[in-house]
Amino acid sequence: MKTNGICITLFFLCYYVCESLPQNNIQHLKEDVGCDDLLGSKTVVDKCGICGGDNSACEVITGTFKHSILSVGYHKILEIPKGATKINITEMVKSKNYLALRNHLGEPVINGNWAIDRPGIFAAAGTTVTYRRPNEIRTKAGESIIAEGPTSEVLYVYVIYQQPHPSVHYEYILPRDNVFSIQPIPNSDIQPLGEALSSQLGVYTENGQGYILPDTNGDNFVNGVHTNQFPPEQAATTTELYELYSLEERRERQTAYNWKHAGMTECSATCGKGSQVLIFICVERITHEQVSDNLCDVAMRPTPKEETCNSQPCPAFWDVGEWSECSKTCGPGNQHRQVLCRQAYSNQTTTIHAHHCHHLEMPETTSTCQLKICSEWQIHTDWTSCSVPCGVGQRTRDIKCVDNLGDVVDDEECNLKLKPEDSENCDAGPCARSWFLTEWSERCSAMCGNGTQTRGVVCLMNHISSLPLEGCGNEKPMESKPCSLGMCNEKVEWFTGPWDQCSTECGNGTKSRSVVCLKRSNSSLMVVEPSECSQLEKPPTENNCYLKKCGAKWFTTEWSACSKPCEGGYKVREVRCLADDMTQSGSCDPFLMPEDREECNFHQCIPEIDENCRDMYFNCNVVVQARLCVYSYYKTACCASCTKASRRGVGRRR
């Protein structure tokens, strides 16, 4: 009954205080509560996990492991000491390397013995370790190993090296030795509550400093620090706080209520070794009815003991890893994944022999994949004509890379090694050079006496390939020849006649005139020897002339040799239309074009037996089929075969 009276008194006292405080103070009490559970406090937890700490109780260890080339396999990169917290090991860039973790005995925790574990949570060194490996296709993030800590033993971090230039960032926090203290509450913080109210609300004041009294559930905290963390010299101060409770009040609690065993918690695992603890509830001693735990003496509450349960092994199962990237960026490819037989025990999974999973259907380890259909090469145009009229040149065609929708895309989308040739050499046959001639000029350069006629002569490349033609050679055809229209009349002195007409109707030509030495005799004139006029300067007898541009003209080569020595053959020549600058032109009159083919040698052949006419090679039939007998070399090397072919051709034409 006395306990109930104290509770009622405290209730009305709290109600009175709250009603007497301004509304804004009440709101302040609701909102501003620090990590030390004090109203109006702005105390926060530092990075070392200490309420009100100044980050001096711990040290942050951080760094980055980089090494350009290692041997393939496991390489230890980091040793994490005992007591470390906030552990974060992260691969900075996704690669083909893997992170691995071992305990202080060298036993594998993650990715040991060349077996890659699936991402998940593992137990090691008294803490839980989270292993993460982002999806290999959708992200570029690397692997990571994260643990909250603190660790109860040393851990070793490894990298399974498979790709050059690994880059791993690590960070963890180590506590400094024995850094604990009680932070006093200034008098100004509790003064507004009043001296009497302070003792009633659980604020104990000693030597001008205030401390929070322990609550009724037995959780002993002073300013956010548990009593078992105090240095020995301050432990007595904490114990004295309990003496404020009435011994009579505690004795009443021990008499009216007590703790009762009410079963056990549910096992933490259905198999593979779980744990459960005893459950104790507070009951009324006489009726055994359950009441609030606050009514029982917390100091008398039995310590819950953890017991092992469900220790039978869990069934083995197939653990399936993630699919690798497709082996081909387009078209059919393959992708692989790791499938391991594993078994769970004591919050850990272990790889076991595959025969333990024989009762289960093993998932596929290899699968086909296709990210998209590959583009292909297509021929868009036929070969062009040879780039030269004779000799060796080139021809081209258009090759395009086309995707599966029929659109032309960049060549990089197709396999460049499989691209068809888009250019190649071509042989247009042997080239020959010939003299091209115009007709003789119709006019003589002199109207009387000796004159000249001219024609155009030029050496050009020959495009005829049906018959062989010799080169231009050194014997250039005549460009002029003498002409005469009869004797001129005799005159006295140096007599110059009028200039004759230009030797050509167009273009460059020559004109001439008669220059004679005449001797006058009375009314008669007599021609004398030129020597008699030698003292006089003789006028020129010839000069250049140019009437107008010729424009285009027909030029022809000399006739080729007859294709046959008898019984009817033909000879050819090339005809070209050339402008004044001797370039190809299309302005000539086609009706005036000279003939480029003429029949020849109509007489009968006289068969002759030539002992020297025989084949020098066994495959002369190929020469005949390729029609190479028109060339002098093949005609001589395969004389017998070429002669027979020539005679057969004559018989067919008849």
Side-chain angles (χ1 to χ4, degrees), residues 326-474:
C326 193
S327 61
K328 298 290 183 65
T329 57
C330 68
N334 294 306
Q335 55 183 172
H336 307 276
R337 64 180 178 182
Q338 190 177 52
V339 178
L340 300 174
C341 183
R342 298 176 71 88
Q343 191 174 42
Y345 188 80
S346 186
N347 294 327
Q348 296 188 30
T349 56
T350 307
T351 303
I352 58 178
H353 196 276
H355 75 266
H356 293 288
C357 296
H358 71 278
H359 61 288
L360 301 173
E361 181 179 359
M362 183 176 180
E364 296 292 336
T365 59
T366 304
S367 176
T368 58
C369 57
Q370 180 169 321
L371 300 180
K372 64 177 181 178
I373 299 176
C374 290
S375 302
E376 63 178 0
W377 296 108
Q378 288 187 3
I379 301 174
H380 273 215
T381 61
D382 294 329
W383 288 108
T384 61
S385 57
C386 199
S387 60
V388 295
C390 62
V392 178
Q394 275 202 333
R395 60 178 186 172
T396 60
R397 61 181 178 180
D398 196 14
I399 307 294
K400 297 294 185 182
C401 180
V402 180
D403 61 14
N404 60 313
L405 300 179
D407 297 328
V408 177
V409 295
D410 294 336
D411 286 358
E412 288 74 13
E413 295 291 327
C414 291
N415 190 341
L416 295 177
K417 295 182 179 179
L418 301 179
K419 182 179 182 180
E421 294 294 335
D422 57 359
S423 64
E424 66 177 9
N425 292 337
C426 54
D427 190 350
C431 296
R433 301 179 69 85
S434 299
W435 292 110
F436 283 72
L437 315 170
T438 64
E439 298 293 339
W440 289 106
S441 61
E442 295 180 356
R443 297 177 182 178
C444 188
S445 61
M447 297 184 64
C448 63
N450 295 326
T452 56
Q453 285 179 291
T454 59
R455 64 178 177 180
V457 179
V458 62
C459 181
L460 298 175
M461 187 73 71
N462 189 304
H463 291 174
I464 295 178
S465 58
S466 59
L467 287 176
L469 295 172
E470 302 298 332
C472 290
N474 296 325

Side-chain angles (χ1 to χ4, degrees), residues 564 567-568 624-625 627 641-654:
K564 293 180 60 180
E567 295 183 348
V624 175
Q625 293 174 3
R627 299 181 180 181
S641 296
C642 288
T643 302
K644 289 179 183 179
S646 177
R647 290 174 181 172
R648 285 197 300 270
V650 173
R652 283 196 295 271
R653 284 197 295 274
R654 289 180 179 176

Side-chain angles (χ1 to χ4, degrees), residues 133-150:
R133 182 170 65 249
N135 185 286
E136 298 182 21
I137 297 178
R138 292 177 298 175
T139 181
K140 294 184 179 180
E143 297 187 346
S144 63
I145 296 177
I146 299 173
E148 186 67 23

Side-chain angles (χ1 to χ4, degrees), residues 63-112:
T64 302
F65 171 81
K66 290 184 178 179
H67 203 292
S68 58
I69 298 178
L70 300 170
S71 59
V72 175
Y74 287 80
H75 294 269
K76 185 168 73 172
I77 64 173
L78 181 64
E79 177 180 320
I80 301 176
K82 176 181 177 181
T85 60
K86 307 293 183 182
I87 301 169
N88 189 331
I89 314 297
T90 302
E91 190 181 22
M92 299 180 69
V93 179
K94 183 183 78 171
S95 68
K96 295 181 180 179
N97 302 319
Y98 293 92
L99 298 176
L101 190 66
R102 295 181 181 177
N103 61 18
H104 72 293
L105 299 177
E107 298 171 342
V109 177
I110 298 174
N111 295 343

Side-chain angles (χ1 to χ4, degrees), residues 494 516-518 527-536 538:
W494 285 119
V516 296
C517 184
L518 296 180
V527 178
V528 294
E529 292 294 330
S531 58
E532 296 190 18
C533 297
S534 59
Q535 73 278 9
L536 301 174
K538 185 178 180 179

